[in-house]
Structures are given as C-alpha cells and as structure tokens.
Amino acid sequence: MIYTVSDLIKKYGSRTVLDIPYLEVEKEQIYALLGANGAGKTTLLNILGLLEAPTAGRIQYCSRPVNYAESALQSLRKEVVLVDQHPILFTTTVFKNLEFGLKIRKINKKERYRIIDESLDLVGMREFSSAPAQHLSGGETQRVAIARALALSPKVFLCDEPTSSVDVENQNIIITILRRVNEIKKISVLFTTHDRSQAARLAHHTIVLNHGRLVPTMYENIFRGVLQTDPFGQPQCTIQDKIHLSLSGDQIKDKRKAVSVFIDPEMIRSVKLPGDQATQNELRGRVVQMIEENGNVRVVVDAGIWVALLISKKRYQEIRFMVGETIDLYIPPEAVHII
Amino acid sequence: MDLLIDSFISAIRLIVSMDAEMVAIVGVSLKVSCTSTALAGLIGVPLGFTIAFSEFVGKRMTITVLNTLLALPTVVIGLFVYAFISRRGIFGPFDLLYTQRAIIIGQAILIIPVVAAFTIAAISRIDERYRKTAMTLGANRLQTAWIVFREARFGIVAAMVAAFGRVISEVGISMMLGGNIKGFTRTMTTAMALEYDKGSFILAVALGIVLLGLSFGMNILFHFFQGRVHSQ
C-alpha cells in the first residue's frame, strides 16, 4: 500500500470536513476521487500530499507512519507531488519552472536538461521551454504544471481536478498523460473529479466522498431527502417533496431529519405499473441515456430526479425500451440507504 | 511674479552650468539618502518579510504599530536621535551629531517602517499557491521563502523607491541631526530652507527643480514597479 489511512478527521474550526475511518491506496494504481463540491476531495488530497495535517487519525505512507511535523515532512514531500486545480507557475520561463524542483534535489545540470526536455516532450510543450510561463493559456499552464511535477519522478502524483478548467483537446491530452505515467513510470496517481465517466475511463479504483465521508457508490443516485413517517407510521424518505421511498427497518435508527440517501442502481427494477400514478417507492420517467458498462446496461431515467439503474444485457433484451420512452421503476426499500 | 520668473530663469542657468555648490549639495543629498535607503532596506525588507511570512501571536498588532510609525514626524525622529547622539547622550562619545552618519541614522529610522510596511503589503499580495507549489515540489522553508520573495520582488523594489522618495525630500532630520553645514551636511532641502531665510531664491529654486526632477524620476520608477506587480 502506498497509503493507509485510519480514523482520519479533519476539522476547520468546529466543522468536520473529513471523517474517514479507513482507507487504503494501492501502489502503482490510478485512483479517482469523486464527490460534489465541498465533499472534502481537495482537503483529502492536501493531506495525502503532506501539505496539510489531519486534526486526528493516522496516515501511513509506504507502511511508515507520517509525522506531520514540518521538519519530518521534507524528505517525504520529495516523493509526493500535487498539482492544483488551478496551478500557478513561477514568473519565469517554463524551463526554470521545471528546473526548480530538480535543483532542490541537487540533480546535476546535464541530467536536469535531459529530464526537462523529456518531461516537456511528454506533455507536448517542448517548444515552449524558453517561453515566459505567465503568457501560457490555461491548458498549457496545466500541462507545464504536470510536466514540472512529473520531472521529479514522484512515487505519488496527486492531481486536483486536472481537466476541469481546460478545453476538450487539453482534457484528452491530460488524461493520456496520466495514463502513460502510470503505465510507463509506474507512478501512483490520485486525481479528483466531478466526472463519473472520466473516473470510470481512467481509474482502476474509485473513492467517493460525500460530506467528508466515504460512500460505497459511484457518485450517482445520491439525493438529499427528509426522513418522515408515512400515514401508517412507517419511516420513509421524501425527496424533493414528491418522491416517497420506504426504508428497510434497520435504517430507522438515524436521528437526523435531513439526510443524504443513496439508491442502489443494481436493485432498481423496471416494472409495468397498473395505474396511471406512481405511488410509494414507484417512479415513472423518461429514458434519457443508455450506456453499456461492463456487460450491463446503465439506464438513466428522468423521473423528476435523474435516477440511474443498472440492468443485465439479458434483462435489457427482454424489455428493450428506447431513449425517450416512458418507463416505470420500482425501488425496493432495501435499495434505499441513508449515507 | 517677476521675482519668480527671474529666479526660475537664473535657476535653470545654474542647473545647466552645473554650479559647483549646487552639485555638491545634490551630491550630499543623494549620498545620505541612498545610504539611508540601503540601510533601511537591509533592516526593513527582512523585517517585513518575516512578519508577512510567519504566523505569530500579535502579528496584527505589529502591523498596526508599523503602519502607525509611517506617520512619524521627522522632527520627532530628529529629537529622539538627538537625545542619543548629543554629547550628553549614550552615543555621545561617537561624535555623530552634525555628521552625515547622523542624518543617515535618522533617515533610516524614518523609512524602516515604510520599507517594512510596503514589504508586508507586497508579500501579502502574493498568491498563496506559490508557497504551496514550492512546498509540494520539495522546497524547504527557506527555499519556499525565496520563491515568495522572488514573486514579490517588484513590490519590494517599489517599497525601496517609495522610501527613497520619502528621505530625499525630508528636512527635519537633516536639519536637526546634520546641522546644515556647508559642503558637509547641507542637503537639498536644508539648503533650500537656508536660502529662503536669506531671501536668495535662485539656488533654492534650482534645488527645488532638481528635487522635483528626482521625485518625478522616483515616481516613474515606483509606478513602473507597481505596474509589474499588478501585471504578475
């Protein structure tokens, strides 16, 4: 393992932004860190990047406990490099930006020049070597920042939203770079993203954060809801005042009124409702997207809320609905989880 | 009106002819002002940088005190330094009073808060990401500080230019600690005050023109560096 995180808590004032009981990150793998804004992705990245200390908990890096005292972090930081969501380049040339970290590592001049050329080649920015870094576009800046980090041959490369502020062309270039450095240089990569499909395409593993906690989902089918009691005294969760979902008995203990719920896409069933109206745990909506995913079909239905369900190809061939068609769904109480 | 026009024309002639007395006075002024600015830079820049770069209890109060010292009147500093370097003062045996060194000390005290406060402002304006980037690239605290300093360099130079502008035009300290001794501690401002007392305006106007020219040059430099700060 490159990281083993136990009982990690990070607080800003009295607000807990991260609460992770246990997390392992394997060596030489690509991890996508998914979550909405404010989920704690950047904070976790900063902690793993040894730039911020946790409020409580233990972190092991390469099986060694991390001591967050400034003097102890110095050597570890030479193995872990983080590129910000909006990276900043020093106000000098692209070349000198890349040279900074190499000089710190006391790499000789000839070797420095070779590494810089190689790194700029990797991101397709070699012809910009002598250009003033401040004159580069957003996408170019991002690529140079990645080259600057990779020139240092880190063991771990952390990237905060690497493609969020660049155009599609640069997005593809950056994704290719991340994949190549992992495959060729065997660098462990952790990147944050909002984009579930990008995570699925690039990452070997996905970590999903919701309000600072790990959740066992693919960052979909998560809704804010209110816990209520139905007319028969049974617990239910109401989403957007219009969708009422019964809960399985073991979830009634939660004392919160406003909760986040996750609906397991594999447990949602496509059915034919007898009446015109959807009732408790039933939804009627229009198919807006269908994608093949690992031998299954992921169907996204707009039922007032966008709900994704995952069905087998065999089942799909039986039902055969089309995009734009209206379908009915049944969400069993066991599929609804409070997170 | 005729007096002013005549004085102005004569003053221009004086400047063009590079009058020896005027050149000597300008030379003294530049020498003491440059030295005091350099001295204030040596103390004020590291002081301001340390305050801006570090987190410590009382940081805000320290900055408030520094900002208050910006308004310190030159005569107060003159009086204060006089108390130390006069014959009866604790530095009396060093015979500093009425020397260029006395003016330099007084002027440095005047502008150390200026340099420090402007340095703090320059460092505070630097994007926090520079520090974070340097750290993640493996820089230690000193190397990180150097990166932040480099990024703030134009702001710090602007601080020095502003400080020089302050001392080249001050009169209280030069008069009280230098004594306006001809050819030795007579600066442009003290010479102008003396010439005014004598009712002789030509040299005063000539020195005024030179002083204004220098101030103008300083302002151009200041705005150039300020512009570089904002274009970063």
Side-chain angles (χ1 to χ4, degrees):
Chain A
M1 292 297 156
I2 197 97
Y3 288 108
T4 308
V5 175
S6 318
D7 303 319
L8 172 72
I9 302 276
K10 179 67 185 180
K11 289 184 176 186
Y12 291 123
S14 59
R15 194 166 64 94
T16 303
V17 292
L18 275 181
D19 182 358
I20 299 177
Y22 192 76
L23 174 68
E24 283 185 337
V25 178
E26 285 178 53
K27 273 182 186 167
E28 297 172 11
Q29 299 280 299
I30 302 180
Y31 279 77
L33 198 50
L34 277 160
N37 285 336
K41 304 187 298 290
T42 302
T43 307
L44 178 58
L45 221 57
N46 283 339
I47 290 172
L48 297 179
L50 313 167
L51 296 170
E52 232 178 290
T55 310
R58 293 176 304 281
I59 293 174
Q60 289 194 324
Y61 170 76
C62 291
S63 307
R64 298 190 305 265
V66 175
N67 174 3
Y68 275 86
E70 191 61 35
S71 54
L73 290 175
Q74 201 58 51
S75 58
L76 292 186
R77 280 205 194 116
K78 290 185 176 163
E79 298 180 3
V80 181
V81 184
L82 185 147
V83 172
D84 258 327
Q85 181 178 2
H86 302 289
I88 200 160
L89 300 177
F90 305 134
T91 42
T92 178
T93 61
V94 167
F95 182 91
K96 285 193 186 297
N97 264 277
L98 268 76
E99 199 179 28
F100 177 74
L102 297 169
K103 269 187 173 174
I104 284 172
R105 284 159 180 77
K106 297 188 169 49
I107 292 167
N108 69 56
K109 194 174 176 179
K110 195 178 164 193
E111 186 64 1
R112 283 204 305 264
Y113 280 48
R114 186 192 65 75
I115 294 170
I116 291 168
D117 284 348
E118 190 186 293
S119 305
L120 287 174
D121 264 343
L122 180 73
V123 299
M125 292 290 290
R126 191 164 178 175
E127 68 270 32
F128 290 86
S129 181
S130 55
Q134 301 311 106
H135 296 168
L136 301 180
S137 70
E140 290 163 349
T141 299
Q142 191 88 28
R143 282 152 65 185
V144 170
I146 290 173
R148 182 174 63 180
L150 295 176
L152 308 175
S153 299
K155 280 188 181 170
V156 184
F157 180 47
L158 307 167
C159 238
D160 195 2
E161 305 266 2
T163 57
S164 68
S165 53
V166 296
D167 56 31
V168 177
E169 187 190 346
N170 277 301
Q171 278 180 17
N172 292 331
I173 293 169
I174 289 166
I175 287 171
T176 309
I177 294 164
L178 294 182
R179 192 175 284 137
R180 280 179 63 191
V181 297
N182 173 255
E183 283 171 6
I184 299 166
K185 296 194 170 188
K186 301 293 175 199
I187 295 173
S188 308
V189 177
L190 256 99
F191 69 99
T192 64
T193 181
H194 286 100
D195 186 347
R196 202 185 60 80
S197 65
Q198 186 185 79
R201 270 185 290 144
L202 184 60
H204 301 119
H205 307 275
T206 304
I207 300 167
V208 186
L209 280 174
N210 184 52
H211 298 294
R213 293 162 187 262
L214 292 179
V215 284
T217 80
M218 273 296 280
Y219 183 49
E220 65 179 358
N221 286 5
I222 296 177
F223 306 101
R224 293 296 289 168
V226 179
L227 279 187
Q228 292 172 326
T229 312
D230 69 13
F232 306 103
Q234 296 301 307
Q236 69 172 19
C237 180
T238 302
I239 299 167
Q240 292 182 6
D241 290 331
K242 55 188 173 193
I243 296 163
H244 308 288
L245 302 172
S246 297
L247 301 166
S248 60
D250 59 338
Q251 303 202 51
I252 315 163
K253 296 167 207 155
D254 204 300
K255 296 280 187 285
R256 289 174 296 167
K257 195 161 169 59
V259 291
S260 290
V261 291
F262 162 60
I263 303 173
D264 189 341
E266 292 185 51
M267 296 177 81
I268 302 174
R269 294 206 296 269
S270 157
V271 292
K272 181 72 199 157
L273 297 178
D276 290 341
Q277 291 285 316
T279 57
Q280 187 98 349
N281 286 50
E282 293 169 354
L283 294 176
R284 175 165 287 165
R286 200 166 52 87
V287 176
V288 289
Q289 195 181 59
M290 287 197 290
I291 319 164
E292 194 221 352
E293 191 174 294
N294 302 327
N296 293 316
V297 179
R298 181 173 294 277
V299 182
V300 181
V301 177
D302 181 1
I305 54 172
W306 281 37
V307 184
L309 60 147
L310 201 63
I311 55 175
S312 66
K313 273 189 181 166
K314 192 180 163 202
R315 173 75 180 137
Y316 174 71
Q317 277 158 0
E318 286 167 19
I319 313 167
R320 280 213 171 275
F321 41 65
M322 310 280 287
V323 171
E325 201 174 309
T326 299
I327 64 165
D328 298 327
L329 303 174
Y330 174 67
I331 300 169
E334 310 82 66
V336 185
H337 302 277
I338 297 173
I339 54 175
Chain B
M1 197 63 187
D2 285 349
L3 174 70
L4 186 66
I5 293 168
D6 290 346
S7 300
F8 187 78
I9 292 166
S10 303
I12 295 290
R13 285 201 192 109
L14 210 62
I15 294 167
V16 171
S17 68
M18 296 290 277
D19 176 75
E21 188 185 355
M22 186 202 72
V23 169
I25 292 168
V26 172
V28 169
S29 264
L30 286 175
K31 184 182 167 191
V32 293
S33 298
C34 287
T35 313
S36 61
T37 305
L39 185 63
L42 284 174
I43 300 166
V45 172
L47 177 69
F49 189 86
T50 308
I51 292 169
F53 198 71
S54 325
E55 290 303 326
F56 57 92
V57 180
K59 179 173 175 172
R60 287 169 73 96
M61 181 51 95
T62 309
I63 294 172
T64 307
V65 169
L66 268 176
N67 287 336
T68 308
L69 290 177
L70 293 178
L72 207 59
T74 54
V75 285
V76 172
I77 295 172
L79 206 61
F80 178 76
V81 178
Y82 180 89
F84 279 91
I85 65 173
S86 66
R87 290 218 176 270
R88 285 178 296 165
I90 55 170
F91 298 120
F94 292 105
D95 272 338
L96 290 168
L97 191 60
Y98 304 135
T99 65
Q100 289 181 5
R101 278 182 293 173
I103 304 176
I104 289 165
I105 292 167
Q107 288 186 342
I109 292 171
L110 175 72
I111 57 170
I112 284 170
V114 176
V115 176
F118 274 57
T119 302
I120 291 169
I123 298 292
S124 305
R125 268 201 299 267
I126 294 302
D127 197 313
E128 183 57 29
R129 286 176 297 167
Y130 283 114
R131 191 196 293 226
K132 188 179 168 187
T133 303
M135 280 163 67
T136 197
L137 293 175
N140 60 27
R141 195 166 159 74
L142 200 66
Q143 289 158 335
T144 304
W146 172 245
I147 280 292
V148 175
F149 184 84
R150 262 192 91 255
E151 294 301 329
R153 61 194 181 276
F154 296 121
I156 291 168
V157 173
M160 300 293 288
V161 172
F164 180 80
R166 177 84 175 96
V167 287
I168 193 81
S169 58
E170 72 78 28
V171 62
I173 292 168
S174 303
M175 191 67 92
M176 291 170 78
L177 302 177
N180 199 17
I181 303 166
K182 187 177 180 181
F184 183 49
T185 58
R186 183 164 296 171
T187 64
M188 285 190 281
T189 49
T190 57
M192 284 166 74
L194 179 72
E195 295 301 304
Y196 163 79
D197 282 346
K198 284 164 40 184
S200 165
F201 291 111
I202 297 169
L203 183 58
V205 172
L207 289 170
I209 292 168
V210 174
L211 189 58
L212 271 174
L214 279 171
S215 294
F216 184 63
M218 285 297 114
N219 267 297
I220 289 172
L221 263 180
F222 183 78
H223 285 289
F224 170 74
F225 287 115
Q226 282 285 331
R228 295 293 294 264
V229 171
H230 293 304
S231 68
Q232 275 180 24

